[in-house]
Amino acid sequence: MVFRRKIYDRLLSWKKERQGKTALLIEGAGRVGKSTIVEEFARKEYRSYILIDFSLVSSQVTDLFDDLTNLDFLFLGLQAIFQVDLHERESLIIFDEVEFCPRARQAIKALVKDHRYDYIETGSFVSIRKNVRDILIPSEEERIRMYPMDFEEFSLAVNGNDCSMLRKFYDLKVALGLAHRNVMREFQLYMLVGGMPQAVQEYLDSNNFRMVDEVKREIIRLYESDLNRIDPSGSISRLYDQIPAQLSGKKTRYQISSVLPTRRASDP
């Protein structure tokens, strides 16, 4: 199931207002639904699209971005590999997990200038900043952030409630009255399940909090794996693992020295 996400409206606005004059980079943590919503957007709003997942593709694809002097060759290569016909001003090319191919991100400048197709990139907060040391960041790139599902998105996914009535009560500054208990029960459910789309889907499929918890633990393991890949020393992973302990204390800020005795917040 593809959940309705608010960011979809921002994608529509970008397409209508920019008309291919910029590419769009969607940053966000892993598993918040970036790839899913972008592909859904491409499927509904374009005549055709190509999704390039740079975490999976072979060098046959990434090598196409080594030479941008002949964009016709690049587009022909992509169409041949992915078996998709591209149509001028009616097709979208998605650079998914673009941090795995910095050359493709740098190519955005030339691709946007060419103006044949639209481009959306997706990437994680941490990795996309790490893999830019040797490339020129294109000024033709707009950035927006995507987060896990908020309460309104969760409510819409779980019971079809778009919270419009709740918003009216809020705008009028009127108490919910008898509806308060039901709203709080749903909010407590949101706090238990969380806003990660995979966890929400598991709740809908199984109605089993143990299974939902396992999905969330697997996401955390993936985050830890990514952090270890970025920082083999394990320092970032230790800081990440201690977030719950830091939040449960009475400290007003994260004390790095309590986790890494030789480090301070001011250290680079």
Side-chain angles (χ1 to χ4, degrees):
M1 179 187 297
V2 178
F3 299 121
R4 174 66 181 172
R5 305 296 300 274
K6 294 177 181 177
I7 198 173
Y8 194 97
D9 293 331
R10 297 184 66 182
L11 299 181
L12 283 174
S13 296
W14 165 78
K15 181 178 186 290
K16 179 180 179 180
E17 295 170 5
R18 297 305 184 185
Q19 296 288 316
K21 296 177 182 178
T22 64
L24 189 65
L25 171 63
I26 303 177
E27 296 179 289
R31 300 300 189 274
V32 297
K34 300 185 298 295
S35 304
T36 301
I37 199 65
V38 170
E39 188 165 14
E40 179 73 0
F41 175 71
R43 188 180 296 112
K44 289 184 176 180
E45 309 299 336
Y46 288 87
R47 184 175 174 185
S48 68
Y49 70 94
I50 291 176
L51 189 151
I52 309 171
D53 185 344
F54 285 110
S55 68
L56 300 174
V57 296
S58 67
S59 58
Q60 183 183 15
V61 176
T62 56
D63 288 349
L64 291 172
F65 294 91
D66 287 339
D67 184 2
L68 299 177
T69 57
N70 188 345
L71 292 181
D72 290 337
F73 179 77
L74 168 65
F75 297 136
L76 285 173
L78 291 176
Q79 291 175 91
I81 294 170
F82 291 95
Q83 294 294 291
V84 173
D85 291 330
L86 294 173
H87 307 278
E88 189 166 338
R89 301 304 318 136
E90 296 182 285
S91 295
L92 174 69
I93 299 179
I94 303 167
F95 291 173
D96 198 23
E97 306 288 357
V98 72
E99 67 267 28
F100 287 96
C101 187
R103 289 170 296 165
R105 188 179 179 194
Q106 181 171 264
I108 286 295
K109 184 177 184 67
L111 296 174
V112 169
K113 183 178 180 180
D114 176 73
H115 202 246
R116 263 178 271 189
Y117 314 113
D118 286 355
Y119 301 90
I120 295 181
E121 310 159 86
T122 74
S124 69
F125 286 137
V126 178
S127 298
I128 209 164
R129 284 162 173 73
K130 182 178 178 62
N131 296 341
V132 295
R133 296 173 183 171
D134 300 320
I135 69 168
L136 179 66
I137 303 300
S139 59
E140 293 79 6
E141 179 185 87
E142 291 186 38
R143 298 186 190 183
I144 59 175
R145 288 190 174 185
M146 186 171 181
Y147 299 96
M149 299 168 72
D150 62 20
F151 177 66
E152 290 181 271
E153 292 171 327
F154 175 84
S155 183
L156 184 62
V158 171
N159 58 32
N161 179 16
D162 63 0
C163 294
S164 57
M165 186 60 67
L166 181 61
R167 186 173 292 279
K168 288 180 181 178
F169 274 90
Y170 177 82
D171 291 339
L172 293 172
K173 303 295 188 294
V174 176
L176 287 170
L178 294 176
H180 182 266
R181 179 176 296 180
N182 290 335
V183 172
M184 288 307 299
R185 185 181 294 115
E186 188 171 345
F187 182 71
Q188 289 167 357
L189 177 62
Y190 171 61
M191 296 300 290
L192 287 169
V193 176
M196 300 303 278
Q198 283 179 289
V200 176
Q201 186 64 64
E202 182 59 43
Y203 170 74
L204 293 173
D205 292 342
S206 67
N207 195 29
N208 185 321
F209 286 119
R210 183 184 63 79
M211 298 295 292
V212 171
D213 189 57
E214 183 55 38
V215 168
K216 291 189 287 187
R217 290 181 184 276
E218 179 59 31
I219 293 173
I220 290 174
R221 286 192 285 269
L222 290 171
Y223 286 173
E224 290 173 339
S225 177
D226 287 343
L227 293 175
N228 285 326
R229 176 170 49 82
I230 294 168
D231 175 31
S233 73
S235 296
I236 297 179
S237 293
R238 290 199 294 276
L239 290 170
Y240 176 74
D241 289 338
Q242 286 298 308
I243 289 176
Q246 294 278 336
L247 290 175
S248 64
K250 296 182 179 180
K251 306 178 183 69
T252 57
R253 61 187 179 128
Y254 193 114
Q255 293 187 335
I256 293 178
S257 59
S258 66
V259 183
L260 304 175
T262 61
R263 303 293 295 273
R264 298 291 183 273
S266 58
D267 294 341

